[in-house]
Amino acid sequence: MLPSQALLPAVVLALTALQALASDTFIAAVYEHAVILPDPTEEPISPDDALALMNKNMDVLERAIKEAAQKGAHIIVTPEDGIYGWRFTRESIYPYLEDIPDPVVNWIPCTDPSRFGPAPVQERLSCMARNNSIYVVANIGDKKPCNSSDPKCPSDSRYHYNTDVVFDPQGKLVARYHKYNLFRRETQFNYPKEPEAVTFETPFGKFGIFTCFDILFYEPAVVLVSKMQVDTVLFPTAWMNVLPFLTAVEFHSAWAMGMRVNLLSANTHNTIMAMTGSGLFTPEGPAAYHYDSATEEGRLLLAELSTHPRLSPTYPPAINWSLHATSIKKFPGENDTFLGAVRKDMFTFGELRNKAGNYTVCQGDLCCHLVYQMSDKRKDEVYVLGAFDGLHGSLIKYHWQICTLLKCPSTDLSTCGQPVETAQTKFEMFSLSGTFGTSYVFPEVLYSGVQLAPGEFEVLRDGRLKSKHATSKPLVTATLFGRLYEKDLPHPLRTSL
C-alpha cells in the first residue's frame, strides 16, 4: 500500500538521511542572488508592501531551491540580505522583521505558522525546505522587544538583529544565528550582547554558521572551526569585492584552505556595489565557484563535498607558517624598498626588477621572502614583493600580517597597491613565505580576470606558498594573509553597549 500524502515528506526525509549516512560525501548548493531591492526611504512602508517585496525575492529563491533539490542537493545556502536587500534605516527596516524563536522550541512554521505570531517569511522558507526535502539556509531580520528594565534596551524598545536561519528537510527551524560583527553601514541592526557559536548536526556532518564580516574575526569564525570542530561552515554574505586581497572568491577560498574546513559561500549579486563571487570551498581548494562582474544574472552552484573533511585521505596537514622563513637568511632587497598604500594600509614594497631572483621585504615583526622566475620580464608590467604588519580599519581596527607578490596597475611605482584585475605576465615558479606571528594564515593565488588557480599551487608544511608548475594564466597576486586576532583593538561600538 502506498504511504499517505501526509507521510510522504517523512518518508523522503528518511530516505535522504539513509543515503547521506551511507556516503562519505554530500551534495551542497549555493545560490548567488540578484536581489530585488526596495525603493530607498527613511519612513517605514506597510507590512503588506514589505511582504510583497520579500515574496518577489523568495519566488526567485524558491526556483533555485527546487532546482538544487532536483539535482540531488542536500543543503542550499542563500545570501545575506537576499530577501529584502540593504537600503534601510533603523525605522524603515522594521516592517521586514519577524520574531524568530530559539530553535529549541521544536517548530515547523510550514505546519504551524501562527504559533509565535505572524511569520509569513519563516512559513514560506520552512515550506520550501519541507516541500523539496532539503536543508534551506536564509538570512532575514529578527526583532526582539525590550523595556527599561534592560539598561541596554534601544530607545524604540526593541532589538533588531541580522539573522541567519536554517530549516531542515521537514521544515523545522534547526538553527538561528545573530550576526556578531556588523559592517559599518548596518546601522539598522543591533550588536548581540554576546557572540553566538551556532552549530547543528546533520546526517552528513556537523555544521556551523556565521555571516559576511564575521569571517574576519576570531568570534565566531575561528571558534566554530577550532573549538567546535564543525565540518562545514554555512556563509551567507553580501560581500563587496576589494582588490587585491579581499575579493569574495579569493579570500573565502583561502579561508577554507587556511582553516581546513568546508565553506559554503552564497553572495548577493549587484555589479554597481561590486557584489559577486560565490563558491563551494574545501580544505583542498574550490570545488565550484562563480564570479561575474558583467551581468546581473543569479547563479546556482552545486558540488559534491566530503562529509567529514578531517577524515579524508586528502586532508591537508597542519602548517607551521613561519618555519621556513625563520630558518633562512634574508635575501637581498630589504634596503631597496618604498612605501605604497593598499587602500589606507601602508605596505613596504620592493620592486622585482629582474626576470628571476630572491627577495626579502620586512615591516614590523614580519619579513617576507620570495623566490621567483617570470616566463618573461615585460617592460610594461611591474611586480612587487610587499609586507604589511599592523592594524587595518578605520572604526574597527584589527591586526593583519600580509606577504604578497603583487602586480602594480602601471609602471609608475606610486600606483602599486591600487586595484588591478588583469595581467599579462606568467610565472615559471614562485615560492612565498613569511615570519608570521600567527597560526591563522590564508593562502591566496589570483589570476588575471579574478580567476582562482585550483590545483596549481600548494602550501608546504614549513609555510611556503609554492607554485606546482608554471602558472597557466597571468598572475595578479600570490598572497599569504595572516590574522593576529590577539592584537585586535576592542570594538569601539560593542564596548559602549
Side-chain angles (χ1 to χ4, degrees):
M1 183 175 67
L2 291 174
S4 69
Q5 192 70 27
L7 291 176
L8 278 176
V11 172
V12 173
L13 173 63
L15 290 173
T16 301
L18 287 172
Q19 290 171 350
L21 284 169
S23 175
D24 293 330
T25 63
F26 70 105
I27 298 176
V30 299
Y31 183 65
E32 181 165 311
H33 175 41
V35 183
I36 303 168
L37 299 174
D39 294 328
T41 176
E42 294 186 3
E43 298 298 324
I45 62 175
S46 72
D48 287 343
D49 287 344
L51 181 58
L53 183 280
M54 291 190 286
N55 274 324
K56 288 179 181 178
N57 281 299
M58 286 191 288
D59 288 344
V60 179
L61 298 181
E62 186 165 19
R63 290 193 291 270
I65 289 166
K66 184 176 182 179
E67 181 182 351
Q70 290 173 341
K71 291 182 176 179
H74 298 97
I75 187 167
I76 182 169
V77 183
T78 63
E80 180 186 26
D81 300 331
I83 291 177
Y84 47 63
W86 52 84
R87 296 175 174 174
F88 298 106
T89 64
R90 181 171 180 84
E91 292 73 26
S92 65
I93 189 72
Y94 187 69
Y96 297 86
L97 307 180
E98 293 184 357
D99 187 355
I100 305 171
D102 190 308
V104 297
V105 298
N106 194 27
W107 180 42
I108 301 177
C110 186
T111 59
D112 188 11
S114 59
R115 180 177 169 188
F116 298 99
V121 175
Q122 293 173 85
E123 176 186 0
R124 187 167 180 188
L125 292 170
S126 170
C127 290
M128 290 182 201
R130 185 178 179 88
N131 294 341
N132 293 285
S133 300
I134 187 173
Y135 283 84
V136 171
V137 183
N139 176 263
I140 58 178
D142 188 12
K143 60 182 180 181
K144 290 288 180 280
C146 58
N147 55 44
S148 58
S149 64
D150 177 358
K152 297 180 180 179
C153 181
S155 59
D156 53 12
S157 300
R158 59 181 185 259
Y159 290 106
H160 299 173
Y161 298 117
N162 180 331
T163 307
D164 297 329
V165 291
V166 183
F167 296 94
D168 74 8
Q170 288 183 305
K172 184 170 72 173
L173 178 67
V174 294
R176 179 197 67 184
Y177 169 71
H178 295 140
K179 185 177 180 181
Y180 187 60
N181 297 285
L182 297 176
F183 195 59
R184 59 180 179 267
R185 299 179 183 178
E186 293 184 271
T187 56
Q188 68 270 36
F189 292 117
N190 296 106
Y191 290 92
K193 295 177 182 177
E194 299 292 338
E196 301 171 351
V198 174
T199 67
F200 61 98
E201 298 282 352
T202 76
F204 42 92
K206 183 177 182 180
F207 284 72
I209 188 167
F210 54 75
T211 313
C212 202
F213 201 37
D214 284 326
I215 200 171
L216 289 167
F217 298 92
Y218 186 81
E219 292 183 306
V222 176
V223 169
L224 282 178
V225 179
S226 298
K227 294 187 177 181
M228 309 298 288
Q229 293 285 293
V230 298
D231 299 301
T232 299
V233 172
L234 307 172
F235 185 58
T237 184
W239 193 278
M240 291 178 285
N241 290 293
V242 181
L243 286 160
F245 314 125
L246 288 174
T247 64
V249 295
E250 173 189 23
F251 184 73
H252 302 161
S253 180
W255 191 89
M257 294 182 73
M259 295 302 297
R260 300 186 297 159
V261 69
N262 294 332
L263 180 72
L264 311 186
S265 172
N267 201 0
T268 54
H269 189 91
N270 186 290
T271 58
I272 295 175
M273 298 287 291
M275 291 177 176
T276 182
S278 301
L280 301 118
F281 304 113
T282 77
E284 294 84 14
Y289 76 96
H290 171 69
Y291 179 93
D292 172 21
S293 60
T295 75
E296 294 299 336
E297 306 269 330
R299 177 66 67 90
L300 177 67
L301 299 174
L302 293 94
E304 186 174 7
L305 306 181
S306 175
T307 300
H308 303 289
R310 291 179 182 85
L311 304 180
S312 169
T314 61
Y315 189 63
I319 307 297
N320 184 331
W321 289 102
S322 63
L323 182 60
H324 176 76
T326 55
S327 68
I328 62 174
K329 294 182 179 180
K330 294 178 181 178
F331 299 136
E334 184 185 0
N335 297 322
D336 188 17
T337 60
F338 62 96
L339 294 179
V342 178
R343 296 177 69 83
K344 296 182 179 180
D345 300 324
M346 295 306 297
F347 276 63
T348 301
F349 288 129
E351 181 185 357
L352 308 186
R353 294 177 176 173
N354 302 311
K355 182 179 178 180
N358 306 332
Y359 279 83
T360 294
V361 170
C362 299
Q363 185 181 107
D365 295 328
L366 179 67
C367 283
C368 303
H369 305 299
L370 174 68
V371 181
Y372 75 96
Q373 181 176 343
M374 299 176 186
S375 299
D376 183 35
K377 182 68 172 75
R378 299 176 60 96
K379 294 182 179 180
D380 59 348
E381 289 196 325
V382 169
Y383 284 80
V384 292
L385 173 63
F388 177 77
D389 182 11
L391 291 170
H392 166 84
S394 52
L395 177 63
I396 305 168
K397 294 186 180 297
Y398 43 110
H399 199 107
W400 291 0
Q401 281 191 329
I402 295 176
C403 290
T404 182
L405 162 58
L406 180 66
K407 179 185 178 290
C408 302
S410 76
T411 56
D412 181 352
L413 295 183
S414 68
T415 68
C416 293
Q418 295 177 16
V420 57
E421 287 193 9
T422 59
Q424 299 183 69
T425 300
K426 296 182 181 179
F427 280 69
E428 292 296 318
M429 64 81 61
F430 62 81
S431 176
L432 179 66
S433 63
T435 57
F436 290 96
T438 177
S439 59
Y440 299 107
V441 180
F442 312 116
E444 304 178 347
V445 175
L446 194 68
Y447 284 161
S448 183
V450 193
Q451 299 180 69
L452 301 183
E456 296 199 17
F457 67 92
E458 60 186 337
V459 179
L460 304 185
R461 291 191 182 198
D462 62 7
R464 281 177 287 171
L465 170 60
K466 188 174 180 293
S467 59
K468 290 183 177 180
H469 45 68
T471 63
S472 63
K473 298 180 180 67
L475 182 71
V476 171
T477 180
T479 299
L480 291 170
F481 189 113
R483 280 287 284 115
L484 274 73
Y485 301 105
E486 66 275 13
K487 290 190 175 182
D488 291 356
L489 296 186
H491 194 301
L493 297 180
R494 192 177 293 121
T495 54
S496 65
L497 292 177

